[in-house]
Amino acid sequence: MSGTILITGTTSGFGQAMARLFVQNGWKVIGTGRRADRLEKLKTDLGEAFHALVFDIMDEAATTAALASLPEDFQEIDILVNNAGLALGTASAPATKLSDWKTMIDTNITGLVTITDQLLPKLIERKGMVVNISSIAANWPYPGGNVYAGTKAFLRQFSLGLRSDLHGKGVRVTSIEPGLCESEFTLVRTGGNQESYDALYGGANAIQPEDIASTVYWVATQPPHLNINSLELMPVSQSWAGWQIAREG
Protein backbone atom coordinates (compact mmCIF):
# COMPACT_ATOMS: atom_id res chain seq x y z
CA MET A 1 0.00 0.00 0.00
CA SER A 2 1.35 3.43 -0.94
CA GLY A 3 0.21 6.82 -2.13
CA THR A 4 0.85 10.51 -1.47
CA ILE A 5 0.92 11.93 2.04
CA LEU A 6 1.21 15.54 3.18
CA ILE A 7 2.84 15.97 6.59
CA THR A 8 2.96 19.38 8.23
CA GLY A 9 5.95 20.27 10.38
CA THR A 10 8.61 18.02 8.86
CA THR A 11 11.68 20.05 9.83
CA SER A 12 12.25 18.04 13.02
CA GLY A 13 10.86 15.46 15.42
CA PHE A 14 7.74 13.49 14.57
CA GLY A 15 7.29 15.03 11.14
CA GLN A 16 10.80 14.32 9.96
CA ALA A 17 10.66 10.74 11.25
CA MET A 18 7.34 10.20 9.47
CA ALA A 19 8.69 11.61 6.20
CA ARG A 20 11.64 9.23 6.30
CA LEU A 21 9.55 6.16 7.13
CA PHE A 22 6.90 6.77 4.49
CA VAL A 23 9.46 7.42 1.75
CA GLN A 24 11.33 4.25 2.75
CA ASN A 25 8.09 2.36 2.22
CA GLY A 26 7.40 3.67 -1.25
CA TRP A 27 5.20 6.68 -0.55
CA LYS A 28 5.48 10.15 -2.04
CA VAL A 29 5.75 12.70 0.77
CA ILE A 30 4.98 16.41 0.81
CA GLY A 31 6.68 17.96 3.82
CA THR A 32 5.94 21.44 5.11
CA GLY A 33 7.73 23.78 7.46
CA ARG A 34 9.19 27.25 7.92
CA ARG A 35 12.90 26.33 7.89
CA ALA A 36 13.92 26.01 4.25
CA ASP A 37 17.42 24.76 5.07
CA ARG A 38 16.10 21.78 7.02
CA LEU A 39 13.59 20.90 4.32
CA GLU A 40 16.32 21.13 1.70
CA LYS A 41 18.48 18.75 3.74
CA LEU A 42 15.56 16.33 4.00
CA LYS A 43 15.04 16.59 0.24
CA THR A 44 18.71 15.71 -0.29
CA ASP A 45 18.35 12.68 1.98
CA LEU A 46 15.04 11.40 0.58
CA GLY A 47 15.28 12.26 -3.09
CA GLU A 48 12.55 12.75 -5.68
CA ALA A 49 9.89 11.06 -3.54
CA PHE A 50 9.96 14.08 -1.21
CA HIS A 51 8.58 17.50 -2.11
CA ALA A 52 9.17 20.45 0.23
CA LEU A 53 6.71 23.29 0.81
CA VAL A 54 8.20 26.19 2.76
CA PHE A 55 5.57 28.32 4.52
CA ASP A 56 4.25 29.31 7.93
CA ILE A 57 1.13 27.33 8.85
CA MET A 58 -0.22 30.46 10.60
CA ASP A 59 -0.29 32.36 7.28
CA GLU A 60 -3.48 31.46 5.39
CA ALA A 61 -2.42 33.12 2.13
CA ALA A 62 0.94 31.34 2.23
CA THR A 63 -0.78 28.02 2.90
CA THR A 64 -3.08 28.52 -0.08
CA ALA A 65 -0.21 29.53 -2.37
CA ALA A 66 1.95 26.60 -1.27
CA LEU A 67 -0.77 24.03 -1.98
CA ALA A 68 -1.49 25.65 -5.35
CA SER A 69 2.18 25.30 -6.27
CA LEU A 70 2.27 21.51 -5.97
CA PRO A 71 3.56 19.80 -9.12
CA GLU A 72 1.13 17.51 -10.89
CA ASP A 73 2.65 14.28 -9.60
CA PHE A 74 2.17 15.41 -5.97
CA GLN A 75 -1.40 16.74 -6.26
CA GLU A 76 -3.30 13.50 -5.63
CA ILE A 77 -3.05 13.59 -1.84
CA ASP A 78 -4.34 10.53 0.01
CA ILE A 79 -3.42 11.40 3.58
CA LEU A 80 -3.05 14.64 5.55
CA VAL A 81 -1.06 14.42 8.77
CA ASN A 82 -1.59 17.51 10.89
CA ASN A 83 1.63 17.36 12.87
CA ALA A 84 2.80 21.00 13.00
CA GLY A 85 2.27 22.46 16.44
CA LEU A 86 4.04 23.88 19.44
CA ALA A 87 3.90 24.57 23.15
CA LEU A 88 5.30 27.78 24.59
CA GLY A 89 6.16 28.07 28.25
CA THR A 90 5.58 25.89 31.29
CA ALA A 91 4.28 28.55 33.70
CA SER A 92 0.87 28.55 35.35
CA ALA A 93 -1.84 30.63 33.70
CA PRO A 94 -1.35 33.80 35.80
CA ALA A 95 2.33 33.94 34.82
CA THR A 96 2.03 33.28 31.10
CA LYS A 97 2.23 35.67 28.15
CA LEU A 98 -0.95 36.29 26.20
CA SER A 99 1.19 36.42 23.04
CA ASP A 100 2.34 32.84 23.69
CA TRP A 101 -1.25 31.69 24.15
CA LYS A 102 -2.28 33.33 20.87
CA THR A 103 0.67 31.81 19.00
CA MET A 104 -0.29 28.32 20.21
CA ILE A 105 -3.91 28.88 19.18
CA ASP A 106 -2.93 30.29 15.78
CA THR A 107 -0.58 27.36 15.09
CA ASN A 108 -2.25 24.39 16.75
CA ILE A 109 -5.83 25.30 15.86
CA THR A 110 -6.22 28.04 13.24
CA GLY A 111 -3.40 26.89 10.97
CA LEU A 112 -4.47 23.28 11.29
CA VAL A 113 -8.11 23.84 10.41
CA THR A 114 -7.09 26.08 7.50
CA ILE A 115 -5.00 23.44 5.75
CA THR A 116 -7.57 20.76 6.59
CA ASP A 117 -10.33 22.83 5.03
CA GLN A 118 -8.30 23.38 1.88
CA LEU A 119 -7.49 19.69 1.44
CA LEU A 120 -10.86 18.19 2.36
CA PRO A 121 -12.28 18.22 -1.20
CA LYS A 122 -9.31 16.21 -2.45
CA LEU A 123 -9.41 13.84 0.52
CA ILE A 124 -13.12 13.23 -0.03
CA GLU A 125 -12.56 12.66 -3.74
CA ARG A 126 -9.85 10.07 -3.00
CA LYS A 127 -11.52 8.55 0.08
CA GLY A 128 -8.43 9.52 1.99
CA MET A 129 -7.44 10.04 5.59
CA VAL A 130 -6.73 12.77 8.15
CA VAL A 131 -4.36 11.98 11.00
CA ASN A 132 -4.22 14.62 13.73
CA ILE A 133 -1.34 14.61 16.20
CA SER A 134 -2.98 15.50 19.50
CA SER A 135 -1.64 14.63 22.96
CA ILE A 136 -2.55 13.00 26.25
CA ALA A 137 -2.86 16.65 27.32
CA ALA A 138 -6.23 16.54 25.53
CA ASN A 139 -7.50 14.22 28.24
CA TRP A 140 -5.28 14.64 31.30
CA PRO A 141 -4.70 18.10 32.83
CA TYR A 142 -1.38 19.06 34.38
CA PRO A 143 0.12 22.26 35.82
CA GLY A 144 1.34 24.58 33.08
CA GLY A 145 -0.70 22.85 30.38
CA ASN A 146 -3.35 25.60 30.19
CA VAL A 147 -3.74 26.75 26.56
CA TYR A 148 -1.52 24.05 25.03
CA ALA A 149 -3.72 21.34 26.56
CA GLY A 150 -6.78 23.26 25.40
CA THR A 151 -5.56 23.26 21.81
CA LYS A 152 -4.98 19.52 21.94
CA ALA A 153 -8.44 18.94 23.42
CA PHE A 154 -9.82 20.94 20.50
CA LEU A 155 -7.88 18.75 18.10
CA ARG A 156 -9.26 15.55 19.61
CA GLN A 157 -12.83 16.84 19.42
CA PHE A 158 -12.25 18.23 15.92
CA SER A 159 -11.15 14.75 14.85
CA LEU A 160 -14.33 13.18 16.22
CA GLY A 161 -16.43 15.90 14.62
CA LEU A 162 -14.79 15.34 11.24
CA ARG A 163 -15.58 11.64 11.49
CA SER A 164 -19.23 12.52 12.02
CA ASP A 165 -19.36 15.06 9.20
CA LEU A 166 -17.58 12.75 6.76
CA HIS A 167 -19.84 9.79 7.50
CA GLY A 168 -20.51 7.79 4.36
CA LYS A 169 -17.75 9.45 2.34
CA GLY A 170 -15.07 6.84 3.01
CA VAL A 171 -12.68 9.29 4.66
CA ARG A 172 -10.90 8.04 7.77
CA VAL A 173 -9.93 10.33 10.66
CA THR A 174 -7.63 9.47 13.57
CA SER A 175 -6.46 11.37 16.63
CA ILE A 176 -3.02 10.24 17.83
CA GLU A 177 -2.49 11.18 21.50
CA PRO A 178 1.08 10.58 22.73
CA GLY A 179 2.41 10.98 26.24
CA LEU A 180 6.00 11.84 27.16
CA CYS A 181 7.95 12.17 23.91
CA GLU A 182 11.57 13.18 23.54
CA SER A 183 12.03 15.70 20.74
CA GLU A 184 12.98 19.29 19.93
CA PHE A 185 9.42 20.20 20.94
CA THR A 186 10.45 20.45 24.62
CA LEU A 187 13.44 22.66 23.87
CA VAL A 188 11.09 25.07 22.10
CA ARG A 189 8.69 24.99 25.02
CA THR A 190 11.42 25.88 27.54
CA GLY A 191 13.09 28.50 25.36
CA GLY A 192 16.06 26.22 24.65
CA ASN A 193 16.73 25.28 28.28
CA GLN A 194 18.92 22.18 27.94
CA GLU A 195 19.04 21.56 31.70
CA SER A 196 15.26 21.41 31.87
CA TYR A 197 15.21 19.08 28.86
CA ASP A 198 17.78 16.74 30.42
CA ALA A 199 15.93 16.70 33.75
CA LEU A 200 12.65 15.78 32.08
CA TYR A 201 13.97 12.98 29.90
CA GLY A 202 16.86 11.62 31.95
CA GLY A 203 16.31 7.89 32.47
CA ALA A 204 12.65 8.11 31.41
CA ASN A 205 12.85 5.96 28.27
CA ALA A 206 10.45 8.37 26.61
CA ILE A 207 8.60 7.86 23.35
CA GLN A 208 10.86 8.68 20.37
CA PRO A 209 9.87 10.35 17.09
CA GLU A 210 10.39 7.04 15.31
CA ASP A 211 7.76 5.46 17.60
CA ILE A 212 5.19 8.03 16.52
CA ALA A 213 6.19 7.59 12.88
CA SER A 214 5.65 3.83 13.04
CA THR A 215 2.31 4.35 14.81
CA VAL A 216 1.08 6.73 12.10
CA TYR A 217 2.34 4.36 9.41
CA TRP A 218 0.39 1.50 11.00
CA VAL A 219 -2.78 3.61 11.12
CA ALA A 220 -2.29 4.69 7.50
CA THR A 221 -1.87 1.15 6.22
CA GLN A 222 -4.90 -0.46 7.82
CA PRO A 223 -7.60 -1.76 5.45
CA PRO A 224 -9.81 1.04 4.10
CA HIS A 225 -12.92 -0.29 5.88
CA LEU A 226 -11.24 0.19 9.29
CA ASN A 227 -10.98 3.51 11.14
CA ILE A 228 -8.83 4.06 14.23
CA ASN A 229 -10.83 6.78 16.00
CA SER A 230 -8.22 7.71 18.60
CA LEU A 231 -5.05 6.16 19.92
CA GLU A 232 -3.47 7.16 23.24
CA LEU A 233 0.04 5.95 23.94
CA MET A 234 2.58 6.51 26.72
CA PRO A 235 6.03 5.22 27.55
CA VAL A 236 5.91 2.46 30.16
CA SER A 237 7.65 4.85 32.55
CA GLN A 238 4.67 7.22 32.57
CA SER A 239 1.28 6.64 34.21
CA TRP A 240 -1.53 8.45 36.00
CA ALA A 241 -0.12 7.84 39.48
CA GLY A 242 0.28 10.76 41.85
CA TRP A 243 -2.62 13.22 42.01
CA GLN A 244 -1.63 16.68 43.19
CA ILE A 245 -3.27 18.00 46.35
CA ALA A 246 -2.81 21.58 47.55
CA ARG A 247 -3.12 21.64 51.40
CA GLU A 248 -3.98 24.61 53.57
CA GLY A 249 -1.97 25.66 56.59
PDB file of all heavy atoms in Angstrom, residues 136 178-181 204-207 233-239:
ATOM      1  N   ILE A 136      -1.829  13.388  25.051  1.00  0.00           N
ATOM      2  CA  ILE A 136      -2.549  13.005  26.254  1.00  0.00           C
ATOM      3  C   ILE A 136      -3.025  14.236  27.018  1.00  0.00           C
ATOM      4  O   ILE A 136      -3.938  14.154  27.832  1.00  0.00           O
ATOM      5  CB  ILE A 136      -1.713  12.104  27.181  1.00  0.00           C
ATOM      6  CG1 ILE A 136      -0.445  12.821  27.662  1.00  0.00           C
ATOM      7  CG2 ILE A 136      -1.392  10.788  26.524  1.00  0.00           C
ATOM      8  CD1 ILE A 136       0.234  12.112  28.816  1.00  0.00           C
ATOM      9  N   PRO A 178      -0.101  11.105  22.036  1.00  0.00           N
ATOM     10  CA  PRO A 178       1.079  10.584  22.729  1.00  0.00           C
ATOM     11  C   PRO A 178       1.277  11.217  24.110  1.00  0.00           C
ATOM     12  O   PRO A 178       0.882  12.356  24.365  1.00  0.00           O
ATOM     13  CB  PRO A 178       2.245  10.978  21.804  1.00  0.00           C
ATOM     14  CG  PRO A 178       1.624  11.554  20.574  1.00  0.00           C
ATOM     15  CD  PRO A 178       0.268  12.014  20.956  1.00  0.00           C
ATOM     16  N   GLY A 179       1.952  10.465  24.963  1.00  0.00           N
ATOM     17  CA  GLY A 179       2.414  10.981  26.242  1.00  0.00           C
ATOM     18  C   GLY A 179       3.815  11.545  26.117  1.00  0.00           C
ATOM     19  O   GLY A 179       4.143  12.207  25.116  1.00  0.00           O
ATOM     20  N   LEU A 180       4.659  11.267  27.101  1.00  0.00           N
ATOM     21  CA  LEU A 180       6.004  11.844  27.163  1.00  0.00           C
ATOM     22  C   LEU A 180       6.832  11.432  25.952  1.00  0.00           C
ATOM     23  O   LEU A 180       7.154  10.264  25.768  1.00  0.00           O
ATOM     24  CB  LEU A 180       6.698  11.383  28.450  1.00  0.00           C
ATOM     25  CG  LEU A 180       8.090  11.981  28.701  1.00  0.00           C
ATOM     26  CD1 LEU A 180       7.994  13.478  28.977  1.00  0.00           C
ATOM     27  CD2 LEU A 180       8.759  11.254  29.877  1.00  0.00           C
ATOM     28  N   CYS A 181       7.169  12.401  25.126  1.00  0.00           N
ATOM     29  CA  CYS A 181       7.947  12.166  23.908  1.00  0.00           C
ATOM     30  C   CYS A 181       9.205  13.023  23.938  1.00  0.00           C
ATOM     31  O   CYS A 181       9.142  14.214  24.260  1.00  0.00           O
ATOM     32  CB  CYS A 181       7.150  12.526  22.664  1.00  0.00           C
ATOM     33  SG  CYS A 181       5.644  11.576  22.429  1.00  0.00           S
ATOM     34  N   ALA A 204      14.100   8.321  31.526  1.00  0.00           N
ATOM     35  CA  ALA A 204      12.651   8.109  31.413  1.00  0.00           C
ATOM     36  C   ALA A 204      12.254   7.135  30.309  1.00  0.00           C
ATOM     37  O   ALA A 204      11.112   6.684  30.268  1.00  0.00           O
ATOM     38  CB  ALA A 204      11.942   9.446  31.173  1.00  0.00           C
ATOM     39  N   ASN A 205      13.187   6.829  29.410  1.00  0.00           N
ATOM     40  CA  ASN A 205      12.853   5.961  28.268  1.00  0.00           C
ATOM     41  C   ASN A 205      11.588   6.452  27.568  1.00  0.00           C
ATOM     42  O   ASN A 205      10.608   5.710  27.383  1.00  0.00           O
ATOM     43  CB  ASN A 205      12.685   4.502  28.706  1.00  0.00           C
ATOM     44  CG  ASN A 205      13.986   3.900  29.191  1.00  0.00           C
ATOM     45  OD1 ASN A 205      15.037   4.126  28.603  1.00  0.00           O
ATOM     46  ND2 ASN A 205      13.928   3.143  30.275  1.00  0.00           N
ATOM     47  N   ALA A 206      11.616   7.720  27.200  1.00  0.00           N
ATOM     48  CA  ALA A 206      10.448   8.371  26.613  1.00  0.00           C
ATOM     49  C   ALA A 206      10.164   7.861  25.204  1.00  0.00           C
ATOM     50  O   ALA A 206      11.020   7.248  24.544  1.00  0.00           O
ATOM     51  CB  ALA A 206      10.671   9.881  26.579  1.00  0.00           C
ATOM     52  N   ILE A 207       8.950   8.122  24.741  1.00  0.00           N
ATOM     53  CA  ILE A 207       8.600   7.860  23.352  1.00  0.00           C
ATOM     54  C   ILE A 207       9.552   8.648  22.448  1.00  0.00           C
ATOM     55  O   ILE A 207       9.887   9.799  22.732  1.00  0.00           O
ATOM     56  CB  ILE A 207       7.148   8.293  23.083  1.00  0.00           C
ATOM     57  CG1 ILE A 207       6.166   7.416  23.873  1.00  0.00           C
ATOM     58  CG2 ILE A 207       6.816   8.235  21.594  1.00  0.00           C
ATOM     59  CD1 ILE A 207       4.740   7.921  23.840  1.00  0.00           C
ATOM     60  N   LEU A 233      -1.113   6.769  23.626  1.00  0.00           N
ATOM     61  CA  LEU A 233       0.043   5.946  23.938  1.00  0.00           C
ATOM     62  C   LEU A 233       1.003   6.694  24.850  1.00  0.00           C
ATOM     63  O   LEU A 233       1.155   7.910  24.750  1.00  0.00           O
ATOM     64  CB  LEU A 233       0.760   5.482  22.677  1.00  0.00           C
ATOM     65  CG  LEU A 233       1.241   6.504  21.664  1.00  0.00           C
ATOM     66  CD1 LEU A 233       2.372   5.914  20.834  1.00  0.00           C
ATOM     67  CD2 LEU A 233       0.122   6.918  20.708  1.00  0.00           C
ATOM     68  N   MET A 234       1.615   5.972  25.758  1.00  0.00           N
ATOM     69  CA  MET A 234       2.579   6.513  26.716  1.00  0.00           C
ATOM     70  C   MET A 234       3.792   5.598  26.772  1.00  0.00           C
ATOM     71  O   MET A 234       3.692   4.409  26.459  1.00  0.00           O
ATOM     72  CB  MET A 234       1.976   6.574  28.124  1.00  0.00           C
ATOM     73  CG  MET A 234       0.854   7.541  28.359  1.00  0.00           C
ATOM     74  SD  MET A 234       0.300   7.408  30.091  1.00  0.00           S
ATOM     75  CE  MET A 234      -0.924   8.696  30.156  1.00  0.00           C
ATOM     76  N   PRO A 235       4.938   6.131  27.210  1.00  0.00           N
ATOM     77  CA  PRO A 235       6.027   5.220  27.549  1.00  0.00           C
ATOM     78  C   PRO A 235       5.642   4.445  28.808  1.00  0.00           C
ATOM     79  O   PRO A 235       4.823   4.910  29.608  1.00  0.00           O
ATOM     80  CB  PRO A 235       7.203   6.157  27.818  1.00  0.00           C
ATOM     81  CG  PRO A 235       6.577   7.440  28.241  1.00  0.00           C
ATOM     82  CD  PRO A 235       5.283   7.538  27.474  1.00  0.00           C
ATOM     83  N   VAL A 236       6.211   3.270  28.983  1.00  0.00           N
ATOM     84  CA  VAL A 236       5.905   2.462  30.159  1.00  0.00           C
ATOM     85  C   VAL A 236       6.241   3.211  31.442  1.00  0.00           C
ATOM     86  O   VAL A 236       5.604   3.031  32.484  1.00  0.00           O
ATOM     87  CB  VAL A 236       6.661   1.117  30.092  1.00  0.00           C
ATOM     88  CG1 VAL A 236       6.470   0.309  31.370  1.00  0.00           C
ATOM     89  CG2 VAL A 236       6.182   0.317  28.891  1.00  0.00           C
ATOM     90  N   SER A 237       7.215   4.118  31.364  1.00  0.00           N
ATOM     91  CA  SER A 237       7.654   4.853  32.553  1.00  0.00           C
ATOM     92  C   SER A 237       6.642   5.880  33.035  1.00  0.00           C
ATOM     93  O   SER A 237       6.777   6.420  34.129  1.00  0.00           O
ATOM     94  CB  SER A 237       8.980   5.573  32.249  1.00  0.00           C
ATOM     95  OG  SER A 237       8.792   6.532  31.220  1.00  0.00           O
ATOM     96  N   GLN A 238       5.637   6.177  32.230  1.00  0.00           N
ATOM     97  CA  GLN A 238       4.665   7.218  32.565  1.00  0.00           C
ATOM     98  C   GLN A 238       3.313   6.590  32.878  1.00  0.00           C
ATOM     99  O   GLN A 238       2.899   5.631  32.222  1.00  0.00           O
ATOM    100  CB  GLN A 238       4.515   8.193  31.386  1.00  0.00           C
ATOM    101  CG  GLN A 238       3.632   9.389  31.663  1.00  0.00           C
ATOM    102  CD  GLN A 238       3.531  10.305  30.446  1.00  0.00           C
ATOM    103  OE1 GLN A 238       3.579   9.856  29.299  1.00  0.00           O
ATOM    104  NE2 GLN A 238       3.395  11.591  30.682  1.00  0.00           N
ATOM    105  N   SER A 239       2.627   7.111  33.897  1.00  0.00           N
ATOM    106  CA  SER A 239       1.279   6.636  34.212  1.00  0.00           C
ATOM    107  C   SER A 239       0.494   7.771  34.855  1.00  0.00           C
ATOM    108  O   SER A 239       0.952   8.914  34.899  1.00  0.00           O
ATOM    109  CB  SER A 239       1.343   5.423  35.144  1.00  0.00           C
ATOM    110  OG  SER A 239       1.766   5.816  36.437  1.00  0.00           O
TER     111      SER A 239
END
